[in-house]
Amino acid sequence: MFTDILFYSVFLGQIFLLSYHYPKKIFTKITYVLNTYPASKYPKLYRHSQYIDPENKLRKTARRYKYANSAIALLGLGILLAMAISGYAPHTIKENQHLLFVVFYFLLQSFPHLLVEVSTYSWYKCMRYAAKTSTRTADLRPRRLFDFISPVYVLFAVLAYIGWVSFYLYNKGFSAAWDSQTYMTMFGMAAMNLVFFSLGYKSFLGKKMDPHQADEDQHKQITTTIRVSVFASILMSLQLITFNAINKFGWDIFEPVAISLYCQLIIVFGIGEMLRRLKIEDVDFSVYKDETVAPV
Amino acid sequence: MRIMVDIDDPVPLFTQLITQIKKAVETNMISAGDPLPSIRQLANDLDVNNKTVAKAYRLLERDGILQSKGYRGTFVHPDAKANTNTDLNAWVLEELGSTIDIFKNSGATDSEIRIAFASVMNRQKQKGA
């Protein structure tokens, strides 16, 4: 019974966080920008090579994002309600079918966020294209990794990774550990960490996404991206350690709860971290004003 | 300290970079021992080729404005400020000009000087190889 209540509560939390709380914050953020910094006063923010009326396009996209999340939230609540009405008790189901609910529902919940990320990337790309000027500036101060993140977090990420490798091999038995599954797992984990490293590295030393962005805002963005990448690596290692422990000790009943909690933590330390650190009120929007237009 | 390059300027980008970094040293915006951004960082920030920044750094290192400390990065040379006054390019032009004047006064023709210059440069290159 306890595990059933736990599962329903955690799944409800997943619906609330991923399809209501954070989407609402993101939608408010977009609306705030559109209302406070309109294209008439901040043309560089909307100067876009692809659309005739980019401001309107952005409003439509934001509305679609809101509706998509609302529909997904309703679907989630519908699933929960159907489970409750039909008397679905997760602790009595051996095959952990509800595990699939959690995973697939998380993938569905991630879809609008993924679309927003892709749109943002494409938006910046067009912005860079439209903002081609002959003069370019750069800071003569070097950027160093530990100016953006505490070494403690990086060390913790390395230790978590070593911890997972050790625990995984210990569970498999060190002497007979090296089969194809072990290689695949090790390779997968290394590849994921490489992705996180590339994300951090690209933001740290790569080209500026937003060509007009103020230095201070760029610093904040790099800090956030690096922190999110390191947190994601730590979470991934801890999650795998948790699942190895669940399998080893036969706590399969808690697996869906653990997966749902992991999904929520990814969002809290991913989107949540970005929303906490990159406060829209602190962003310098004066860089998007058109200096060629004389003030009236 | 910010530097700026103009890609439409007829002055080559690496020369613009050299001038700006020298100016930064002269005006004490950066001083001896200060670290400089990596080639990749500066190239990406300015949206120029890595080789352009690498060439500027190499020439500044040759002129004693910068010094490379391997994996630790590139730093402003301890004698950078004094060395900014030394313009190696201007010195080469001046020395070559006066040498050519000597040849011309001795009766050597332009084509003889050109052929001799090319021949000496080729010999130096072969020696180097």
Side-chain angles (χ1 to χ4, degrees):
Chain A
M1 186 63 185
F2 166 73
T3 49
D4 294 347
I5 294 170
L6 191 65
F7 171 74
Y8 280 111
S9 316
V10 171
F11 193 51
L12 198 63
Q14 183 179 333
I15 297 169
F16 172 75
L17 267 185
L18 277 72
S19 293
Y20 176 74
H21 180 67
Y22 285 124
K24 191 185 168 196
K25 281 194 163 193
I26 292 170
F27 181 76
T28 312
K29 195 174 167 177
I30 298 171
T31 316
Y32 173 82
V33 173
L34 286 164
N35 294 337
T36 321
Y37 307 103
S40 55
K41 286 182 185 167
Y42 298 85
K44 284 185 187 171
L45 188 58
Y46 303 92
R47 198 171 285 159
H48 212 277
S49 57
Q50 206 175 338
Y51 307 113
I52 298 164
D53 185 1
E55 193 180 343
N56 193 33
K57 167 77 187 165
L58 206 57
R59 279 186 198 279
K60 274 185 188 166
T61 309
R63 274 200 299 272
R64 275 191 211 125
Y65 171 75
K66 187 183 165 186
Y67 296 147
N69 277 299
S70 304
I72 292 168
L74 286 175
L75 179 72
L77 289 175
I79 293 172
L80 264 189
L81 204 65
M83 279 178 169
I85 289 170
S86 65
Y88 187 89
H91 80 277
T92 59
I93 312 295
K94 280 188 179 170
E95 289 83 15
N96 269 348
Q97 292 154 338
H98 42 299
L99 187 73
L100 289 177
F101 280 131
V102 174
V103 175
F104 283 113
Y105 187 65
F106 173 69
L107 292 176
L108 188 67
Q109 285 181 303
S110 309
F111 195 65
H113 299 287
L114 206 66
L115 280 182
V116 165
E117 278 302 310
V118 173
S119 308
T120 311
Y121 185 79
S122 140
W123 190 269
Y124 280 139
K125 198 177 168 186
C126 293
M127 205 188 230
R128 280 199 301 273
Y129 183 78
K132 284 280 178 203
T133 54
S134 65
T135 54
R136 289 151 189 193
T137 61
D139 199 345
L140 263 187
R141 279 171 304 185
R143 288 198 282 271
R144 304 212 187 277
L145 178 67
F146 296 128
D147 293 342
F148 298 95
I149 189 165
S150 160
V152 176
Y153 290 125
V154 178
L155 184 70
F156 192 59
V158 174
L159 289 177
Y161 180 71
I162 294 171
W164 168 73
V165 171
S166 313
F167 191 54
Y168 180 77
L169 293 177
Y170 167 74
N171 279 343
K172 292 204 79 167
F174 284 104
S175 53
W178 294 100
D179 54 11
S180 60
Q181 195 203 346
T182 309
Y183 280 114
M184 285 296 286
T185 312
M186 291 287 167
F187 175 77
M189 184 69 171
M192 279 308 291
N193 274 300
L194 201 66
V195 168
F196 296 138
F197 176 79
S198 312
L199 281 175
Y201 183 81
K202 195 172 181 295
S203 134
F204 179 55
L205 285 181
K207 286 181 183 167
K208 217 172 168 180
M209 288 271 279
D210 177 350
H212 308 293
Q213 196 174 38
D215 286 347
E216 204 183 320
D217 293 335
Q218 189 194 10
H219 191 279
K220 275 186 207 163
Q221 188 156 19
I222 295 173
T223 307
T224 310
T225 312
I226 291 176
R227 281 173 71 94
V228 168
S229 303
V230 172
F231 289 159
S233 172
I234 294 172
L235 277 175
M236 195 172 66
S237 301
L238 294 182
Q239 176 243 355
L240 287 175
I241 291 172
T242 310
F243 288 128
N244 283 350
I246 282 172
N247 290 331
K248 184 175 168 60
F249 300 114
W251 298 334
D252 292 14
I253 204 153
F254 292 108
E255 205 168 0
V257 172
I259 285 203
S260 182
L261 281 176
Y262 172 65
C263 297
Q264 291 176 51
L265 284 175
I266 289 176
I267 298 299
V268 170
F269 283 98
I271 297 175
E273 180 73 5
M274 288 201 180
L275 289 170
R276 271 192 301 276
R277 291 204 156 254
L278 301 171
K279 286 201 167 65
I280 204 75
E281 302 81 19
D282 300 336
V283 176
D284 179 9
F285 277 90
S286 65
V287 293
Y288 301 111
K289 282 182 177 173
D290 197 349
E291 61 278 358
T292 56
V293 178
V296 181
Chain B
M1 162 69 197
R2 291 196 78 78
I3 55 165
M4 189 179 77
V5 293
D6 187 347
I7 52 163
D8 287 343
D9 197 310
V11 177
L13 288 173
F14 75 89
T15 313
Q16 290 185 47
L17 276 174
I18 289 172
T19 312
Q20 300 235 4
I21 292 172
K22 277 188 177 177
K23 199 176 159 192
V25 171
E26 276 171 347
T27 54
N28 293 325
M29 300 299 279
I30 48 172
S31 42
D34 280 356
L36 259 81
S38 67
I39 290 170
R40 191 181 291 268
Q41 183 193 322
L42 196 55
N44 278 333
D45 286 357
L46 291 170
D47 202 5
V48 298
N49 198 304
N50 285 353
K51 286 178 184 170
T52 307
V53 179
K55 188 174 180 180
Y57 272 24
R58 205 171 51 242
L59 292 174
L60 283 166
E61 211 179 321
R62 181 205 64 184
D63 292 351
I65 310 289
L66 302 182
Q67 64 178 165
S68 174
K69 291 184 181 174
Y71 69 92
R72 278 179 291 169
T74 308
F75 296 81
V76 179
H77 195 277
D79 302 322
K81 200 160 184 191
N83 293 339
T84 48
N85 300 322
T86 314
D87 189 341
L88 209 60
N89 192 39
W91 175 75
V92 169
L93 281 173
E94 196 185 315
E95 288 291 311
L96 204 58
S98 56
T99 309
I100 288 170
D101 283 344
I102 295 170
F103 294 153
K104 279 190 172 175
N105 291 339
S106 309
T109 63
D110 284 2
S111 66
E112 278 175 331
I113 295 169
R114 272 194 205 101
I115 291 165
F117 182 78
S119 164
V120 171
M121 286 300 284
N122 283 337
R123 216 182 302 154
Q124 294 279 349
K125 200 174 172 184
Q126 278 166 6
K127 257 194 218 170

